[in-house]
Amino acid sequence: MSTEPDLRDDIRAFPFPFTQDTYRYSINLGPAGQPVHTPAGQWGDSVVHIDGRYSEELAQRRDILRRDPSRRQVLAHMRPAAWDAMLTLMRELSLAYPDTMTLHREAAGRFHWINRRTGIDQRFAYGDPRTLPQEPLAFIGDQVQEDIVLLDQREAQLFVDAGLVCFASNWSFGFNLGMSFLQVHGPVPRIHDTGIAARAEKFAMRLQPGEPYRRTNWSLSVGGRLDQSTETYPEWGPARGRTLDLEDAAFGAEVHLRVEVQHLVRLAESGCVMFLIRTYQLPLEVIAQVEPWRDRLAAVLAELPEDMADYKGFLVYRDRAADWLRARAPAAP
């Protein structure tokens, strides 16, 4: 099986996040599993998504975890939720990719998991760590491209108490571990004054098992690097300031539209909420090839308030990105 990414597939399945020429923070939630059609293709058929970058991104995650094991942490009271998350993701994978992923229940509490993409053939007893080669969040995290956050619900709040996050966008899972939902979103401009954060938390706490929801989030990034956690800021942060010196061709290749498809799933056994984050990126030079995307992204960037562009980390090159996209439009006859 080839490990080379198919860029055409990247375009067809890219979750372009804008439906109008302006953008403001919103809860932006809708039922999961319903395909969204775009000018280039469609996305959103399933809760988990495997594409041509599967092997590459799993290898990146393993390398990140070797260098920084703190990217995966499970507080003691969340160990049952980690098992619940693993089994839930196995079910989602087997539903989405039945030709290569299968989960069989062999007896009460005993399962047989096969992932033909990675060569895994594993029988295990649910809840018994002796029957897995790794702890459950590590085992399943090595088979999905999504980052995983597990939220405990107590005291009428949600708390970030477990997860495996290697591809964060300018935040730190280790720093946020143990924080409440509202504390985690404290730095985001506008969402507290408008009540968006509180409404989003209440919505998540009303989730029912078997009824997952999703939303998108987005930013611009430089270089196409997936791991943009605050722990590695010295490795990727300085590149943002150098974008203004790039030639036009290099600017279009280096600056990416970065989109997260985020799923909220109520775990049936533990009652916790699983928050999945799948990150997609396309360089502006590719975005510009799809005319509706080019024109809409240019309009969104030009109109976006400065505080939002600053929080998302691209204020320094926001105007150039909008101008660059507009300059790619064909001249009027």
Side-chain angles (χ1 to χ4, degrees):
M1 180 182 299
S2 173
T3 59
E4 290 299 316
D6 182 346
L7 189 57
R8 292 168 300 176
D9 181 60
D10 284 359
I11 299 171
R12 286 194 297 267
F14 188 72
F16 189 78
F18 307 114
T19 58
Q20 53 190 16
D21 289 346
T22 60
Y23 173 83
R24 295 294 184 274
Y25 291 118
S26 67
I27 295 178
N28 181 30
L29 280 161
Q34 299 181 6
V36 178
H37 298 278
T38 76
Q42 71 175 45
W43 64 275
D45 299 40
S46 56
V47 171
V48 288
H49 179 221
I50 290 173
D51 61 19
R53 298 187 186 274
Y54 185 66
S55 297
E56 172 194 336
E57 292 186 9
L58 296 187
Q60 286 186 45
R61 177 174 284 147
R62 291 185 206 110
D63 183 58
I64 291 166
L65 288 169
R66 276 194 295 268
R67 290 183 282 109
D68 184 3
S70 74
R71 305 292 187 94
R72 184 186 69 244
Q73 298 190 59
V74 178
L75 298 184
H77 69 283
M78 296 294 283
R79 288 171 187 157
W83 280 94
D84 201 356
M86 182 189 76
L87 197 63
T88 299
L89 285 167
M90 287 177 175
R91 287 175 175 142
E92 292 292 343
L93 285 165
S94 64
L95 285 171
Y97 304 99
D99 292 341
T100 56
M101 313 274 192
T102 54
L103 178 68
H104 299 289
R105 182 170 182 167
E106 297 186 323
R110 301 196 71 87
F111 296 87
H112 184 193
W113 169 246
I114 298 173
N115 180 342
R116 295 177 182 85
R117 291 176 180 266
T118 59
I120 292 173
D121 187 324
Q122 182 71 40
R123 287 181 164 85
F124 64 92
Y126 186 83
D128 185 349
R130 297 170 300 178
T131 60
L132 284 179
Q134 301 168 277
E135 61 93 6
L137 206 60
F139 184 67
I140 197 61
D142 196 32
Q143 300 177 65
V144 295
Q145 288 167 265
E146 287 78 6
D147 279 331
I148 307 165
V149 178
L150 301 181
L151 305 169
D152 189 28
Q153 185 169 328
R154 63 182 186 274
E155 303 167 8
Q157 296 183 79
L158 294 173
F159 292 85
V160 177
D161 283 352
L164 193 169
V165 180
C166 291
F167 305 140
S169 180
N170 201 17
W171 62 282
S172 166
F173 167 71
F175 180 78
N176 288 344
L177 187 70
M179 287 188 180
S180 71
F181 182 91
L182 295 182
Q183 288 173 328
V184 167
H185 291 87
V188 184
R190 301 178 181 237
I191 69 168
H192 296 280
D193 293 343
T194 58
I196 290 172
R199 293 199 305 274
E201 182 179 41
K202 288 178 181 177
F203 182 94
M205 289 192 293
R206 291 195 298 267
L207 281 173
Q208 297 299 310
E211 298 178 1
Y213 275 73
R214 70 173 178 224
R215 68 184 300 273
T216 57
N217 193 22
W218 70 279
S219 185
L220 297 184
S221 66
V222 179
R225 177 190 174 108
L226 277 175
D227 176 16
Q228 296 193 7
S229 64
T230 52
E231 288 91 339
T232 58
Y233 179 83
E235 299 173 23
W236 56 267
R240 297 189 298 190
R242 293 194 289 267
T243 54
L244 298 180
D245 298 326
L246 294 174
E247 298 293 333
D248 268 5
F251 185 86
E254 286 294 307
V255 177
H256 289 62
L257 175 59
R258 180 181 174 115
V259 179
E260 295 175 351
V261 176
Q262 305 172 347
H263 280 88
L264 287 165
V265 181
R266 173 71 72 180
L267 298 175
E269 296 295 326
S270 64
C272 293
V273 175
M274 178 167 64
F275 183 54
L276 301 174
I277 310 167
R278 175 64 198 282
T279 302
Y280 301 82
Q281 300 188 98
L282 282 182
L284 293 190
E285 65 181 9
V286 175
I287 294 291
Q289 296 172 21
V290 183
E291 182 177 351
W293 290 358
R294 180 195 68 219
D295 296 344
R296 176 143 287 168
L297 180 56
V300 166
L301 293 175
E303 193 277 339
L304 193 71
E306 285 197 1
D307 62 333
M308 295 174 68
D310 187 41
Y311 173 75
K312 287 179 176 290
F314 57 78
L315 180 60
V316 67
Y317 60 91
R318 183 267 301 269
D319 291 339
R320 183 176 180 190
D323 292 342
W324 189 95
L325 288 163
R326 286 170 171 162
R328 299 313 33 97

